[in-house]
């Protein structure tokens, strides 16, 4: 079965994100003050696995070993069966 | 005695480090491409640069290349491993040192001389310094903001694993002289055994009087003396 997976990775709550802070300031200069602004990275993966559970655990492993840095990141995995 | 200077795609301080080790210190030093064998070396330097274009996160890709397994083995055997700048990023990404190096608090590439305080002068890399000595070495980085959670930081402090801190010329670790937002002005840390050092400043750029400082040379000198002591025991 083929699965379509979207992994969203972002900094853990409360961590300072200088890039987001800079973009927020630039938006403010353009006349768009914001209450908050965050940045996340999204990975789009298609995977052949026997089940959704197996696909999930494989992607979870990818996150732990490379895609995310567990010291500073949280991540979220969304899986759907490809049609 | 033979030292290896690692080369990944995008390493760019490799030749500088080799020059200092072979020409200034006078020790046999090879450049070793990451796909080659890492055999018969007494120490390793992971130099600065932008390995793999800093893709994903600085140091993340290089940290997962197979040669890192050889480096971990060497570290377990007690041989000295030093990661400078991007090399420090590779060491934290590989899990050989704790924490993470994030984008500088003021998100700009900082290229400047800094003062460092030698917090631990008993390590294989710092034994040529006096305790608390203030030294001058330049930095050049965008992701040097050392982060780790409080328990890790207090562990580093209590076990004397902070090798260097950013300070003013008087030795005070103030916010004003912290160039990147690092927790507690941390500029370099050691592993538990003390034989793995990661540091953001570039000692190879401060190893000759003509460049403005020779303080960095003492780090390489310490490392070489340490290796000699291993051989003689």
């Amino acid at each position: 079965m083929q699965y379509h997976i979207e992994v969203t990775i972002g900094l853990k709550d409360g961590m300072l994100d200088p890039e987001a802070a800079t973009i927020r300031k630039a938006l403010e200069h353009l006349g768009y003050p914001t209450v908050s602004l965050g940045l996340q990275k999204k990975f789009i993966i298609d995977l052949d696995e026997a089940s959704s559970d197996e696909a999930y655990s494989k992607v979870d492993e990818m996150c732990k070993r490379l895609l995310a840095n567990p010291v500073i990141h949280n991540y979220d995995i969304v899986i759907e069966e490809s049609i | 005695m033979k030292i290896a200077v690692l080369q990944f795609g995008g390493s760019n301080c490799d030749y500088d480090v080799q020059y200092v080790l072979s020409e200034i210190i006078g020790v046999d030093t090879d450049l070793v491409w990451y796909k080659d064998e890492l055999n018969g070396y007494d120490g390793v330097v992971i130099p600065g640069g932008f390995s793999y274009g800093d893709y994903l996160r600085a140091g993340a890709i290089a940290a997962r290349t197979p040669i890192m397994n050889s480096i971990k083995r060497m570290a377990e055997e007690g041989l000295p491993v030093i990661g400078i700048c991007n090399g420090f990023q590779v060491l934290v990404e590989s899990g050989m040192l704790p924490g993470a190096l994030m984008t500088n608090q003021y998100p700009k590439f900082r290229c400047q001389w800094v003062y460092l305080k030698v917090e631990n002068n008993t390590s294989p890399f710092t034994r040529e310094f006096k305790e608390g000595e203030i030294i001058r070495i330049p930095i050049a980085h965008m992701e040097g903001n050392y982060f780790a959670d409080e328990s890790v930081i207090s562990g580093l402090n209590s076990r004397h694993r902070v090798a260097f801190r950013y300070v003013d010329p008087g030795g005070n670790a103030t916010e004003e002289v912290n160039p990147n937002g690092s927790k507690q002005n941390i500029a370099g840390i050691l592993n538990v055994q003390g034989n793995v050092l990661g540091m953001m400043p570039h000692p190879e750029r401060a190893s000759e009087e003509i460049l403005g400082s020779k303080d960095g040379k003492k780090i390489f000198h310490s490392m070489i003396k340490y290796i000699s002591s291993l051989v003689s025991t």
Side-chain angles (χ1 to χ4, degrees):
Chain A
M1 182 74 71
Q2 191 167 319
Y3 294 93
H4 182 77
I5 298 129
E6 297 197 348
V7 183
T8 310
I9 295 181
L11 287 175
K12 287 179 178 170
D13 282 349
M15 291 208 55
L16 181 81
D17 184 346
E19 193 179 351
T22 307
I23 294 167
R24 184 164 173 248
K25 199 168 272 177
L27 278 175
E28 200 175 307
H29 289 314
L30 290 173
Y32 305 105
T34 53
V35 176
S36 71
L37 185 146
L39 271 180
Q40 292 181 321
K41 200 173 256 186
K42 187 182 266 186
F43 296 85
I44 298 114
I45 302 168
D46 291 303
L47 203 60
D48 267 327
E49 287 296 332
S51 69
S52 163
D53 282 354
E54 278 174 50
Y56 184 91
S57 67
K58 195 60 74 63
V59 173
D60 190 52
E61 210 176 294
M62 291 179 194
C63 290
K64 290 199 167 81
R65 294 190 61 192
L66 176 66
L67 301 182
N69 179 346
V71 178
I72 52 174
H73 290 139
N74 282 328
Y75 57 87
D76 181 52
I77 301 170
V78 177
I79 298 191
E80 51 184 60
E81 272 180 30
S82 302
I83 303 153
Chain B
M1 185 190 305
K2 213 160 71 167
I3 308 294
V5 177
L6 228 57
Q7 290 181 302
F8 296 104
S11 297
N12 68 9
C13 302
D14 39 353
Y15 284 90
D16 298 32
V17 173
Q18 189 198 28
Y19 165 77
V20 169
L21 284 170
S22 60
E23 302 298 319
I24 314 271
I25 308 271
V27 62
D28 202 2
T29 307
D30 290 342
L31 296 169
V32 178
W33 182 239
Y34 77 102
K35 285 183 178 169
D36 293 341
E37 289 289 316
L38 191 67
N39 283 332
Y41 292 99
D42 302 294
V44 181
V45 183
I46 310 177
F50 298 86
S51 57
Y52 307 99
D54 281 349
Y55 289 170
L56 194 60
R57 296 177 302 277
I61 307 290
R64 277 126 184 122
T65 55
I67 200 168
M68 290 306 294
N69 295 326
S70 311
I71 294 181
K72 280 179 192 165
R73 244 189 334 267
M74 286 178 68
E76 280 161 18
E77 288 166 11
L79 296 171
V81 176
I82 170 170
I84 300 164
C85 199
N86 189 226
F88 186 10
Q89 294 161 342
V90 172
L91 287 175
V92 293
E93 277 286 345
S94 72
M96 290 178 70
L97 290 173
L101 289 153
M102 305 178 61
T103 304
N104 295 347
Q105 192 165 0
Y106 185 75
K108 178 183 148 184
F109 189 90
R110 301 293 296 260
C111 185
Q112 66 191 65
W113 286 90
V114 294
Y115 288 96
L116 302 172
K117 183 174 183 183
V118 181
E119 296 273 342
N120 173 339
N121 72 329
T122 61
S123 83
F125 311 94
T126 54
R127 46 183 60 185
E128 291 283 288
F129 295 109
K130 292 191 277 291
E131 194 185 345
E133 190 171 336
I134 310 298
I135 61 175
R136 229 174 122 254
I137 295 181
I139 56 162
H141 62 249
M142 178 85 170
E143 286 94 6
N145 178 356
Y146 184 75
F147 174 84
D149 62 40
E150 289 309 320
S151 64
V152 172
I153 299 280
S154 67
L156 289 174
N157 284 326
S158 65
R159 302 190 69 171
H160 307 287
R161 289 174 56 194
V162 176
F164 306 107
R165 255 183 247 276
Y166 303 107
V167 292
D168 64 20
N172 307 300
T174 63
E175 208 174 305
E176 292 73 46
V177 294
N178 185 342
N180 49 30
S182 287
K183 287 261 183 211
Q184 298 188 9
N185 289 39
I186 289 173
I189 57 168
L190 297 155
N191 69 341
V192 174
Q193 294 75 21
N195 66 317
V196 176
L197 168 70
M199 62 185 296
M200 289 314 295
H202 285 270
E204 77 281 10
R205 298 185 189 180
S207 292
E208 282 180 288
E209 201 56 64
I210 195 170
L211 295 177
S213 168
K214 289 199 292 189
D215 293 337
K217 185 178 155 187
K218 284 190 184 172
I219 292 173
F220 297 115
H221 227 166
S222 299
M223 177 172 157
I224 300 309
K225 275 204 168 171
Y226 170 73
I227 294 170
S228 305
S229 74
L230 289 181
V231 174
S232 63
T233 49

